[in-house]
Amino acid sequence: MCGTCGCDATTAQPAADPPLRRLTLQQAVLSRNNSQAERNRQHFQQHGLLVLNLLSAPGSGKTAVLEQLARLWPQAPIGVIVGDLATDNDARRLQAAGARAVQIRTGDLCHLEAEQVDQAFRQLDHHGLNLLVIENVGNLVCPTAFDLGEQLRLALLSVTEGEDKPLKYPALFQSADAVLINKTDLAEAAGFRREEALANLRAIAPQAVIFELSARQGSGFSPLLAWLQQQTWTRPHTST
């Protein structure tokens, strides 16, 4: 992985190095990030923006969900900051769907950081926007630790990933305000055990609101849209 967030601490450092040294490095990185994230949060609040941090594994359908959101959001357009290791494919897809999108290419960095988000936001035409979504790098581990200044964190789970994904990656789902279950149109073909998945989510992330939808069919978005429109800056995401 990237080595910045501490995800490769075991292999990046000689075996003789004490664990405390690696932990101190990781804490310093997160401390700097969290300071910038708080500045981001204040900046977003000043602009009246509801800011979402959308996280998932690669291929779960983040961009497809955002394409539908861009088309359906009643106060269109929406803004999107897209994080990918390479290419600007997702940003171009979202622009075609009507969103104002800016791409961040992270290279070998396996997550977005608050400073990158700040720089991308300065490139985004945010006039008239009230919704900004940060589409994080496809990764269920590293992005979880990095506050980007969002108000709400959304975890996306597709039915093709298996019912036990929340059990395998609890930190992500425990940090989420909402969980979106995507690709419900494939549930039968994938042998998706819905009740088991919901039970796992409720056990791991009882705080999260759950939405079931199909980005391909455009179904299930009405409850998500209604919930998003009810959110205010009275409940900002807090880093741990």
Side-chain angles (χ1 to χ4, degrees):
M1 289 289 184
C2 66
T4 301
C5 61
C7 62
D8 69 345
T10 300
T11 58
Q13 297 292 337
D17 284 354
L20 181 60
R21 179 180 174 184
R22 295 194 292 268
L23 180 59
T24 300
L25 173 61
Q26 185 176 4
Q27 288 176 335
V29 170
L30 291 176
S31 177
R32 290 194 301 272
N33 181 83
N34 290 342
S35 295
Q36 179 63 56
E38 188 55 38
R39 290 192 291 272
N40 289 356
R41 184 173 289 111
Q42 293 173 5
H43 196 200
F44 296 148
Q45 185 174 7
Q46 291 169 0
H47 285 85
L49 285 167
L50 171 64
V51 181
L52 315 177
N53 185 1
L54 180 61
L55 303 96
S56 81
S60 296
K62 292 191 299 299
T63 305
V65 167
L66 293 182
E67 285 177 311
Q68 290 291 352
L69 188 58
R71 298 183 183 109
L72 297 171
W73 186 245
Q75 293 86 35
I78 68 170
V80 185
I81 295 174
V82 185
D84 277 310
L85 299 184
T87 82
D88 62 352
N89 293 346
D90 288 354
R92 288 190 284 106
R93 282 176 58 185
L94 291 167
Q95 289 166 355
R100 298 178 191 169
V102 174
Q103 183 80 46
I104 299 175
R105 298 182 186 88
T106 65
D108 61 354
L109 196 65
C110 61
H111 59 273
L112 288 178
E113 296 184 1
E115 184 175 356
Q116 294 172 309
V117 170
D118 175 57
Q119 293 172 356
F121 182 70
R122 296 176 188 276
Q123 302 172 37
L124 183 70
D125 176 12
H126 53 76
H127 178 73
L129 298 181
N130 66 356
L131 177 64
L132 174 66
V133 185
I134 303 166
E135 182 183 348
N136 219 311
V137 177
N139 187 326
L140 292 175
V141 181
C142 307
T144 303
F146 285 80
D147 182 5
L148 302 179
E150 70 267 20
Q151 180 191 356
L152 298 170
R153 180 171 289 190
L154 278 59
L156 180 64
L157 169 70
S158 72
V159 302
T160 56
E161 295 176 67
E163 302 79 7
D164 60 349
K165 189 59 69 71
L167 305 181
K168 292 180 176 179
Y169 299 91
L172 170 61
F173 293 94
Q174 288 166 351
S175 73
D177 298 284
V179 175
L180 315 182
I181 301 177
N182 188 30
K183 304 186 183 181
T184 55
D185 54 302
L186 299 178
E188 183 176 356
F192 182 66
R193 298 185 295 275
R194 176 179 178 271
E195 292 304 321
E196 182 179 335
L198 292 175
N200 290 338
L201 283 170
R202 289 169 184 142
I204 293 296
Q207 82 291 341
V209 183
I210 300 173
F211 299 96
E212 301 176 70
L213 47 85
S214 167
R216 185 174 71 168
Q217 295 183 338
S219 60
F221 279 82
S222 292
L224 173 61
L225 292 169
W227 180 76
L228 288 174
Q229 291 178 79
Q230 294 172 356
Q231 305 309 305
T232 70
W233 271 102
T234 59
R235 196 163 61 94
H237 175 73
T238 302
S239 300
T240 55

